Amino acid sequence: MLASAVAAGSGASDSTRQSSATQASKSARTALAVGVTLDQEGRLWLVKVVDQHLLVFRSEDNGKYFSRLATITPVPENIGGDGENRPKIQVARDGTVLVTWTELLVEKYAGNIKFSRSIDSGRTFSEPIILNDDGRVTSHRFDSLAIDGKGRVVVAWLDARDRDAAREKGEAFRGVSLYSSQSFDNGAHFEPNRQIHPHTCECCRTALAWTSAGPVVLLRNIFDTNTRDFAVASLDKVEEGVKRVTRDEWQIDACPHNGGSLATNGKEHLHLTWFTSGTVAQGQFYKRISDNQESEPMVLGDMDAQPNHAAVVAYGETVLLTWREFDGNVYSTMMMFSNDSGETWSEPWRLMLSAGANDYPIPLISDSKALVVWNTENEGLRVIPVEKVINRSSYQTIFVEQ
């Protein structure tokens, strides 16, 4: 197993040299769901909730040690910190650090989408602002954040303003809506909110990826009366509407609370993962989309081990998948990879185990490294470098039917 080849090597440094981020989790009330990203220099950035504050950390050595940089939120607030609604962080090419999160309000399911940025490498952050501009006390949650690295910033989220307005008129409204706001100056100013699509699922995470044609969002949509399958929408071509990308026919009058993941190499391929319990298919899947061509869905994980919450990242021809499994006693972080844009795949690898509460595993990839981050209650924050494994010249493959 990869755990013996890689995780064991990092375990010594974990036990002898705990990061300040891990130490904080043992001395304060810390949400397990974290936000992570890699910057242009390959440094690992971490944002996490500790005692109702949002803190930023940075590591120069792939997570062996984290230095605490700043507290983003000046006053305590109830911050969303679960796997579907975690804080997000991105770092632009000029070093601007951008962070979004959901402030949970006292009213049931109500929240605000918050934003802050740093222009001094994370030492200080701007006063947080609320991005949703409708002024309603209602559900604004499940945000996603994407940047083009050159000054454009896009945030998308699920928004209940249209549902509430319809109900006030005595009209029916299925689900909620997808809204977005964007900035063209690295977050110094944001454009007014824009409705992207109505009638979406209420509480599944959204996912953003930047393509050659601009930002694209993956969301669980409501088709027909109550079929909750996935769709993609171009934020630069809202008039084209959404494109259905899964056809599992999951007909359910509830929110699965199990969103999808989306990645691109910036060119022609979209890579996505999702979970479904439809009449056509059940389980966790991956597929790639190029123009009007789609690969056949590839099953991820062992159904007897409850695979869920898969995530995908891509860089060039390399695609990395992670997900979590549970055998009734312990949780496992699983990984697969492809070095040919998803045409062939490695066998699944078991990276890490944990018997306690834990976050969903998060993969990261850049031109120089690939990491898998997993935050657990018992073992703390774990960061496993996997670039040497995925860059091997030969490995066992499974073939995806095209």
Side-chain angles (χ1 to χ4, degrees):
M1 289 183 182
L2 186 60
S4 62
V6 178
S10 65
S13 56
D14 284 346
S15 61
T16 59
R17 199 163 50 137
Q18 286 184 323
S19 71
S20 57
T22 302
Q23 291 170 342
S25 69
K26 295 183 177 181
S27 60
R29 296 187 303 277
T30 306
L32 286 174
V34 300
V36 289
T37 193
L38 293 170
D39 66 16
Q40 296 293 308
E41 285 72 44
R43 297 176 297 187
L44 176 61
W45 292 75
L46 167 73
V47 60
K48 65 187 303 185
V49 183
V50 179
D51 275 347
Q52 294 191 301
H53 286 282
L54 196 59
L55 309 183
V56 174
F57 302 82
R58 188 178 66 202
S59 173
E60 311 280 345
D61 54 10
N62 292 341
K64 294 178 182 177
Y65 178 81
F66 280 89
S67 58
R68 176 172 167 176
L69 297 179
T71 299
I72 298 175
T73 49
V75 297
E77 64 180 65
N78 190 11
I79 300 168
D82 64 68
E84 289 287 296
N85 199 25
R86 68 183 65 242
K88 317 297 188 305
I89 183 169
Q90 294 285 343
V91 182
R93 294 176 188 172
D94 67 355
T96 301
V97 185
L98 310 133
V99 179
T100 63
W101 67 99
T102 301
E103 176 191 18
L104 302 177
L105 304 178
V106 175
E107 292 78 2
K108 192 175 183 180
Y109 304 130
N112 288 320
I113 306 300
K114 305 287 283 289
F115 170 84
S116 180
R117 70 170 190 156
S118 171
I119 58 175
D120 57 7
S121 300
R123 290 186 291 273
T124 62
F125 278 80
S126 62
E127 182 177 351
I129 62 171
I130 297 174
L131 290 183
N132 46 281
D133 60 11
D134 56 319
R136 286 180 175 268
V137 179
T138 190
S139 180
H140 313 93
R141 300 186 297 158
F142 306 102
D143 61 291
S144 50
L145 168 68
I147 63 175
D148 69 353
K150 298 178 288 187
R152 190 175 174 197
V153 182
V154 172
V155 184
W157 65 89
L158 300 183
D159 195 305
R161 70 181 74 177
D162 299 329
R163 181 201 65 190
D164 291 358
R167 288 178 176 177
E168 290 167 3
K169 298 177 183 178
E171 300 171 355
F173 193 95
R174 290 177 292 116
V176 293
S177 300
L178 179 73
Y179 271 75
S180 76
S181 182
Q182 62 180 320
S183 168
F184 294 93
D185 53 12
N186 256 348
H189 307 89
F190 276 86
E191 299 288 310
N193 294 179
R194 186 181 188 188
Q195 187 207 70
I196 305 302
H197 186 68
H199 308 304
T200 71
C201 201
E202 298 92 334
C203 51
C204 284
R205 58 180 164 153
T206 59
L208 275 169
W210 213 284
T211 72
S212 57
V216 172
V217 64
L218 175 71
L219 66 148
R220 190 184 289 276
N221 194 49
I222 301 179
F223 295 96
D224 302 320
T225 301
N226 231 332
T227 301
R228 306 203 176 207
D229 286 347
F230 282 90
V232 295
S234 169
L235 299 192
D236 287 347
K237 299 177 181 178
V238 175
E239 67 280 358
E240 295 183 358
V242 300
K243 175 184 176 181
R244 188 171 181 174
V245 291
T246 66
R247 297 162 185 83
D248 306 311
E249 298 297 333
W250 193 358
Q251 297 169 8
I252 178 174
D253 189 16
C255 183
H257 208 71
N258 202 326
S261 180
L262 183 69
T264 177
N265 59 1
K267 297 181 181 179
E268 67 277 10
H269 292 141
L270 282 177
H271 306 274
L272 57 140
T273 65
W274 73 98
F275 177 85
T276 184
S277 187
T279 58
V280 174
Q282 301 86 39
Q284 184 173 242
F285 297 90
Y286 158 87
K287 74 159 58 172
R288 71 171 188 171
I289 301 173
S290 178
D291 295 324
N292 292 321
Q293 295 184 333
E294 300 182 7
S295 66
E296 289 296 319
M298 178 177 72
V299 178
L300 298 179
D302 177 3
M303 282 297 291
D304 292 334
Q306 306 173 45
N308 60 66
H309 297 285
V312 58
V313 291
Y315 189 90
E317 298 295 299
T318 301
V319 187
L320 178 61
L321 298 169
T322 60
W323 66 92
R324 191 179 66 175
E325 293 185 354
F326 181 62
D327 66 3
N329 295 300
V330 297
Y331 289 92
S332 301
T333 284
M334 307 296 296
M335 180 190 85
M336 290 175 66
F337 64 92
S338 168
N339 285 330
D340 52 17
S341 286
E343 290 191 15
T344 60
W345 287 89
S346 72
E347 295 290 344
W349 297 83
R350 178 172 286 108
L351 288 177
M352 298 171 270
L353 300 174
S354 180
N358 55 85
D359 188 16
Y360 311 140
I362 307 172
L364 296 172
I365 195 168
S366 69
D367 60 341
S368 61
K369 65 180 61 177
L371 307 172
V372 177
V373 180
W374 197 29
N375 197 25
T376 65
E377 185 174 58
N378 291 345
E379 297 84 8
L381 186 74
R382 305 161 79 178
V383 182
I384 304 299
V386 295
E387 63 268 10
K388 291 183 180 179
V389 176
I390 65 175
N391 289 331
R392 292 186 309 177
S393 59
S394 62
Y395 53 86
Q396 287 183 307
T397 61
I398 59 176
F399 292 87
V400 183
E401 181 181 354
Q402 299 296 316

